[in-house]
Structures are given as C-alpha cells and as structure tokens.
Amino acid sequence: MQLKIVQAGDPVLRTGGRPLTPVEIVGDEIQQLIELMRETMREAPGVGLAAPQIGLPLQLAVIEDVGENAATDRTPVPFHVIANPRLVLGPEMVDHFEGCLSVEGFQAVVSRASTARVEALDHRGAPVVIDASGWYARILQHEIDHLLGTLYIDRMLSRTLSTSRNFGRHWAGVPIAELLEKLAARPGTPR
Ligand code: CO
C-alpha cells in the first residue's frame, strides 16, 4: 500500500513535526506507519521520506539509498528510521542538484554540508548517533529540514531550478562549477 505524498503548497510541509516519545515509537500505530512509509518511499521511488510529506506533523523520517555514484560520493545506505533528530553540520559545503517528492518534477542545486552528525531515536525508540558524509549527509539534511518545515527550494540556488526533463537534457553530468558559470546572472543585471 502506498500513501499519498503531499505537494508544495500544503501547509503541513511548512509546520514541521512534533517529537515522538520512545513509547509512541514502539507502539503499533507508529510501527505500522513506518512500514507504510517504507513502501511509499520505495514505490515513489525516493531515498528518504518524512512524515510531513504524507500529511503527518511528526518528527519521523525513513531513509534508504540503494544507489552508488562516485561523482557525488554516494554509497548504499540500508533502510533506517530517524525520529526527533538533532543535526550538527560539518564545516565544508558541497553543491549538487537535488529534488524532492513533494516538489514533483523539478531539481535545483543546493549547497549542503558534506558531513553531518545526527543524534536521533531509531525505530525502537533507542538513541543513535549517525556520522554521515557525502550523499548520505545530504539526504539527512534534506529529511531533517522537512521535520522543521523547510524545503530544498528555500535553500536552492534559484537560477539552477530545472524541470527533471531539462535536467536530463542539459545538465546531467555537467560539472557543477561549469553549470553555475553557465547559469550565472549576466553582469549588469539589476538586483
Ligand atoms: Co523532500
């Protein structure tokens, strides 16, 4: 079964979520929700899904990435759950295209920390500490943003916004530095 993924403009994407107690997390309701979120994420397909994206204002997200890409420092991440996360960003930033299941059909370049530490509760309500880097660090930052009512479009380099079709047609595989130069505002453009 698949849940409906809400799109930008739905207020729940802007309110974020409330924390869950460990007792709630191990309860039937949240355990069933986690299963449905897992199926919905896989079916979408996506590498993460946050509860506000299915209309629930809870600090809960599921993550799973089976992809691999040396260029974006992407390695497989097994399925896991984060609840009530606290995020500490590393000092280095990296630019890359990202998209969102709640902003269907678009991608844009977002600057994200290349490393991140997350303290959260897992699917059993137990505290975990995650030290992530590369694409996984980006996924965590993206999903935790959802839990606080923020979307990637709030952080994107707006001139890079592209439909997914045009991304495939013009920008896939183009080095980010080259792409930013091509998309830069022309000198003399009034701000
Ligand atoms: Co998203």
Side-chain angles (χ1 to χ4, degrees):
M1 190 182 133
Q2 248 194 96
L3 302 166
K4 187 169 183 291
I5 298 175
V6 303
Q7 293 298 307
D10 192 309
V12 71
L13 291 173
R14 293 317 197 171
T15 54
R18 71 161 176 88
L20 292 165
T21 66
V23 172
E24 279 181 297
I25 292 170
V26 297
D28 285 351
E29 212 171 313
I30 296 297
Q31 289 298 308
Q32 279 163 23
L33 176 64
I34 288 169
E35 276 313 304
L36 287 172
M37 287 175 70
R38 184 210 306 243
E39 287 172 33
T40 303
M41 170 179 67
R42 284 179 176 169
E43 196 65 34
V47 296
L49 186 70
Q53 293 186 273
I54 48 151
L56 296 176
L58 302 173
Q59 285 196 26
L60 178 73
V62 295
I63 291 169
E64 179 181 54
D65 190 7
V66 296
E68 237 169 321
N69 185 345
T72 57
D73 204 1
R74 182 176 176 186
T75 52
V77 177
F79 177 83
H80 67 98
V81 171
I82 54 170
N84 311 349
R86 270 177 23 93
L87 177 66
V88 181
L89 301 177
E92 270 177 42
M93 305 296 282
V94 56
D95 293 336
H96 216 281
F97 271 97
E98 68 183 65
C100 177
L101 296 172
S102 295
V103 188
E104 237 171 37
F106 289 93
Q107 302 197 36
V109 172
V110 183
S111 204
R112 299 276 192 192
S114 63
T115 58
R117 166 169 283 210
V118 174
E119 294 173 17
L121 300 180
D122 69 7
H123 65 289
R124 286 181 298 228
V128 285
V129 179
I130 301 167
D131 282 303
S133 64
W135 200 254
Y136 181 31
R138 178 174 294 271
I139 296 170
L140 285 165
Q141 289 166 74
H142 181 116
E143 297 312 326
I144 292 170
D145 268 352
H146 275 302
L147 304 185
L148 300 168
T150 289
L151 299 172
Y152 84 82
I153 52 177
D154 306 324
R155 302 187 184 279
M156 70 181 176
L157 303 173
S158 55
R159 291 187 65 94
T160 67
L161 182 67
S162 174
T163 64
S164 298
R165 179 192 286 199
N166 280 335
F167 170 76
R169 191 183 283 166
H170 299 290
W171 306 115
V174 178
I176 291 290
E178 186 185 321
L179 172 156
L180 292 179
E181 206 176 287
K182 282 184 173 159
L183 291 170
R186 293 179 58 170
T189 303
R191 288 171 62 85

mmCIF file of all heavy atoms in Angstrom, residues 68-91:
data_model
loop_
_atom_site.group_PDB
_atom_site.id
_atom_site.type_symbol
_atom_site.label_atom_id
_atom_site.label_comp_id
_atom_site.label_asym_id
_atom_site.label_seq_id
_atom_site.Cartn_x
_atom_site.Cartn_y
_atom_site.Cartn_z
ATOM 1 N N GLU A 68 24.586 4.154 -6.055
ATOM 2 C CA GLU A 68 26.022 4.327 -5.904
ATOM 3 C C GLU A 68 26.512 5.258 -6.995
ATOM 4 O O GLU A 68 26.119 5.103 -8.149
ATOM 5 C CB GLU A 68 26.738 2.979 -6.024
ATOM 6 C CG GLU A 68 27.563 2.670 -4.816
ATOM 7 C CD GLU A 68 28.069 1.233 -4.812
ATOM 8 O OE1 GLU A 68 27.326 0.325 -5.221
ATOM 9 O OE2 GLU A 68 29.216 1.046 -4.403
ATOM 10 N N ASN A 69 27.314 6.241 -6.638
ATOM 11 C CA ASN A 69 27.835 7.178 -7.621
ATOM 12 C C ASN A 69 29.082 7.859 -7.042
ATOM 13 O O ASN A 69 28.983 8.636 -6.094
ATOM 14 C CB ASN A 69 26.756 8.230 -7.946
ATOM 15 C CG ASN A 69 27.183 9.174 -9.050
ATOM 16 O OD1 ASN A 69 28.369 9.251 -9.408
ATOM 17 N ND2 ASN A 69 26.233 9.911 -9.595
ATOM 18 N N ALA A 70 30.225 7.527 -7.617
ATOM 19 C CA ALA A 70 31.481 8.067 -7.091
ATOM 20 C C ALA A 70 31.510 9.585 -7.206
ATOM 21 O O ALA A 70 32.042 10.276 -6.328
ATOM 22 C CB ALA A 70 32.660 7.445 -7.831
ATOM 23 N N ALA A 71 30.897 10.132 -8.268
ATOM 24 C CA ALA A 71 30.961 11.580 -8.515
ATOM 25 C C ALA A 71 30.280 12.381 -7.413
ATOM 26 O O ALA A 71 30.674 13.520 -7.138
ATOM 27 C CB ALA A 71 30.320 11.899 -9.870
ATOM 28 N N THR A 72 29.250 11.801 -6.807
ATOM 29 C CA THR A 72 28.543 12.537 -5.753
ATOM 30 C C THR A 72 28.779 11.914 -4.379
ATOM 31 O O THR A 72 28.061 12.206 -3.429
ATOM 32 C CB THR A 72 27.021 12.579 -6.033
ATOM 33 O OG1 THR A 72 26.539 11.231 -6.151
ATOM 34 C CG2 THR A 72 26.727 13.337 -7.305
ATOM 35 N N ASP A 73 29.817 11.060 -4.296
ATOM 36 C CA ASP A 73 30.157 10.438 -3.021
ATOM 37 C C ASP A 73 28.945 9.692 -2.448
ATOM 38 O O ASP A 73 28.625 9.811 -1.273
ATOM 39 C CB ASP A 73 30.644 11.531 -2.052
ATOM 40 C CG ASP A 73 31.540 10.965 -0.958
ATOM 41 O OD1 ASP A 73 31.800 9.750 -0.972
ATOM 42 O OD2 ASP A 73 31.964 11.751 -0.091
ATOM 43 N N ARG A 74 28.258 8.976 -3.332
ATOM 44 C CA ARG A 74 27.037 8.261 -2.955
ATOM 45 C C ARG A 74 27.323 6.778 -2.810
ATOM 46 O O ARG A 74 27.855 6.155 -3.738
ATOM 47 C CB ARG A 74 25.972 8.500 -4.019
ATOM 48 C CG ARG A 74 24.627 7.857 -3.720
ATOM 49 C CD ARG A 74 23.621 8.232 -4.795
ATOM 50 N NE ARG A 74 22.355 7.541 -4.576
ATOM 51 C CZ ARG A 74 21.325 7.597 -5.435
ATOM 52 N NH1 ARG A 74 21.423 8.303 -6.543
ATOM 53 N NH2 ARG A 74 20.212 6.955 -5.162
ATOM 54 N N THR A 75 26.985 6.257 -1.644
ATOM 55 C CA THR A 75 27.161 4.832 -1.370
ATOM 56 C C THR A 75 25.863 4.314 -0.751
ATOM 57 O O THR A 75 25.093 5.083 -0.183
ATOM 58 C CB THR A 75 28.330 4.589 -0.393
ATOM 59 O OG1 THR A 75 28.132 5.414 0.755
ATOM 60 C CG2 THR A 75 29.672 4.944 -1.015
ATOM 61 N N PRO A 76 25.595 3.005 -0.881
ATOM 62 C CA PRO A 76 24.329 2.476 -0.363
ATOM 63 C C PRO A 76 24.158 2.702 1.142
ATOM 64 O O PRO A 76 25.112 2.582 1.911
ATOM 65 C CB PRO A 76 24.429 0.977 -0.665
ATOM 66 C CG PRO A 76 25.391 0.883 -1.800
ATOM 67 C CD PRO A 76 26.388 1.977 -1.570
ATOM 68 N N VAL A 77 22.938 3.048 1.515
ATOM 69 C CA VAL A 77 22.581 3.237 2.926
ATOM 70 C C VAL A 77 21.399 2.311 3.209
ATOM 71 O O VAL A 77 20.367 2.414 2.554
ATOM 72 C CB VAL A 77 22.160 4.697 3.210
ATOM 73 C CG1 VAL A 77 21.723 4.862 4.654
ATOM 74 C CG2 VAL A 77 23.282 5.670 2.856
ATOM 75 N N PRO A 78 21.545 1.392 4.163
ATOM 76 C CA PRO A 78 20.430 0.487 4.466
ATOM 77 C C PRO A 78 19.229 1.233 5.044
ATOM 78 O O PRO A 78 19.394 2.329 5.590
ATOM 79 C CB PRO A 78 21.010 -0.490 5.492
ATOM 80 C CG PRO A 78 22.343 0.007 5.873
ATOM 81 C CD PRO A 78 22.720 1.150 4.990
ATOM 82 N N PHE A 79 18.066 0.610 4.942
ATOM 83 C CA PHE A 79 16.847 1.216 5.466
ATOM 84 C C PHE A 79 17.006 1.509 6.960
ATOM 85 O O PHE A 79 17.469 0.682 7.731
ATOM 86 C CB PHE A 79 15.649 0.267 5.283
ATOM 87 C CG PHE A 79 14.392 0.834 5.873
ATOM 88 C CD1 PHE A 79 13.632 1.732 5.146
ATOM 89 C CD2 PHE A 79 13.998 0.507 7.160
ATOM 90 C CE1 PHE A 79 12.477 2.297 5.699
ATOM 91 C CE2 PHE A 79 12.848 1.062 7.722
ATOM 92 C CZ PHE A 79 12.089 1.950 6.984
ATOM 93 N N HIS A 80 16.625 2.729 7.331
ATOM 94 C CA HIS A 80 16.559 3.030 8.771
ATOM 95 C C HIS A 80 15.613 4.187 9.020
ATOM 96 O O HIS A 80 15.166 4.876 8.104
ATOM 97 C CB HIS A 80 17.947 3.285 9.354
ATOM 98 C CG HIS A 80 18.620 4.520 8.853
ATOM 99 N ND1 HIS A 80 18.618 5.704 9.543
ATOM 100 C CD2 HIS A 80 19.299 4.769 7.717
ATOM 101 C CE1 HIS A 80 19.283 6.617 8.856
ATOM 102 N NE2 HIS A 80 19.698 6.084 7.738
ATOM 103 N N VAL A 81 15.323 4.369 10.293
ATOM 104 C CA VAL A 81 14.347 5.358 10.752
ATOM 105 C C VAL A 81 15.063 6.373 11.619
ATOM 106 O O VAL A 81 15.951 6.017 12.396
ATOM 107 C CB VAL A 81 13.267 4.646 11.610
ATOM 108 C CG1 VAL A 81 12.348 5.649 12.298
ATOM 109 C CG2 VAL A 81 12.452 3.675 10.743
ATOM 110 N N ILE A 82 14.706 7.643 11.474
ATOM 111 C CA ILE A 82 15.151 8.637 12.455
ATOM 112 C C ILE A 82 13.917 9.353 13.006
ATOM 113 O O ILE A 82 12.997 9.694 12.266
ATOM 114 C CB ILE A 82 16.164 9.666 11.885
ATOM 115 C CG1 ILE A 82 15.629 10.355 10.621
ATOM 116 C CG2 ILE A 82 17.506 9.023 11.626
ATOM 117 C CD1 ILE A 82 16.484 11.546 10.170
ATOM 118 N N ALA A 83 13.930 9.555 14.328
ATOM 119 C CA ALA A 83 12.880 10.331 14.986
ATOM 120 C C ALA A 83 13.546 11.379 15.870
ATOM 121 O O ALA A 83 14.650 11.157 16.386
ATOM 122 C CB ALA A 83 11.990 9.421 15.819
ATOM 123 N N ASN A 84 12.913 12.519 16.006
ATOM 124 C CA ASN A 84 13.386 13.620 16.866
ATOM 125 C C ASN A 84 14.861 13.957 16.633
ATOM 126 O O ASN A 84 15.631 14.044 17.587
ATOM 127 C CB ASN A 84 13.202 13.290 18.354
ATOM 128 C CG ASN A 84 11.825 12.774 18.696
ATOM 129 O OD1 ASN A 84 10.912 12.831 17.884
ATOM 130 N ND2 ASN A 84 11.667 12.281 19.905
ATOM 131 N N PRO A 85 15.292 14.108 15.385
ATOM 132 C CA PRO A 85 16.733 14.288 15.147
ATOM 133 C C PRO A 85 17.253 15.657 15.579
ATOM 134 O O PRO A 85 16.532 16.647 15.538
ATOM 135 C CB PRO A 85 16.838 14.146 13.629
ATOM 136 C CG PRO A 85 15.515 14.594 13.117
ATOM 137 C CD PRO A 85 14.514 14.132 14.140
ATOM 138 N N ARG A 86 18.514 15.643 16.007
ATOM 139 C CA ARG A 86 19.281 16.876 16.211
ATOM 140 C C ARG A 86 20.459 16.804 15.252
ATOM 141 O O ARG A 86 21.138 15.780 15.187
ATOM 142 C CB ARG A 86 19.799 16.980 17.647
ATOM 143 C CG ARG A 86 18.837 17.697 18.607
ATOM 144 C CD ARG A 86 19.375 17.692 20.032
ATOM 145 N NE ARG A 86 20.841 17.516 20.072
ATOM 146 C CZ ARG A 86 21.730 18.513 20.109
ATOM 147 N NH1 ARG A 86 21.330 19.760 20.130
ATOM 148 N NH2 ARG A 86 23.018 18.262 20.139
ATOM 149 N N LEU A 87 20.693 17.891 14.531
ATOM 150 C CA LEU A 87 21.667 17.880 13.439
ATOM 151 C C LEU A 87 22.811 18.841 13.735
ATOM 152 O O LEU A 87 22.573 19.978 14.135
ATOM 153 C CB LEU A 87 20.942 18.313 12.152
ATOM 154 C CG LEU A 87 21.730 18.458 10.859
ATOM 155 C CD1 LEU A 87 22.255 17.115 10.375
ATOM 156 C CD2 LEU A 87 20.846 19.086 9.777
ATOM 157 N N VAL A 88 24.039 18.351 13.574
ATOM 158 C CA VAL A 88 25.208 19.233 13.652
ATOM 159 C C VAL A 88 25.959 19.110 12.329
ATOM 160 O O VAL A 88 26.346 18.006 11.927
ATOM 161 C CB VAL A 88 26.139 18.859 14.832
ATOM 162 C CG1 VAL A 88 27.327 19.808 14.896
ATOM 163 C CG2 VAL A 88 25.366 18.882 16.143
ATOM 164 N N LEU A 89 26.138 20.248 11.650
ATOM 165 C CA LEU A 89 26.737 20.239 10.313
ATOM 166 C C LEU A 89 28.248 20.369 10.380
ATOM 167 O O LEU A 89 28.778 21.083 11.226
ATOM 168 C CB LEU A 89 26.176 21.396 9.491
ATOM 169 C CG LEU A 89 24.658 21.403 9.294
ATOM 170 C CD1 LEU A 89 24.237 22.642 8.519
ATOM 171 C CD2 LEU A 89 24.210 20.142 8.569
ATOM 172 N N GLY A 90 28.941 19.691 9.475
ATOM 173 C CA GLY A 90 30.373 19.868 9.313
ATOM 174 C C GLY A 90 30.666 21.190 8.617
ATOM 175 O O GLY A 90 29.751 21.862 8.130
ATOM 176 N N PRO A 91 31.954 21.570 8.566
ATOM 177 C CA PRO A 91 32.315 22.907 8.079
ATOM 178 C C PRO A 91 32.319 23.053 6.554
ATOM 179 O O PRO A 91 32.185 24.157 6.044
ATOM 180 C CB PRO A 91 33.727 23.106 8.629
ATOM 181 C CG PRO A 91 34.276 21.713 8.786
ATOM 182 C CD PRO A 91 33.103 20.828 9.098
#
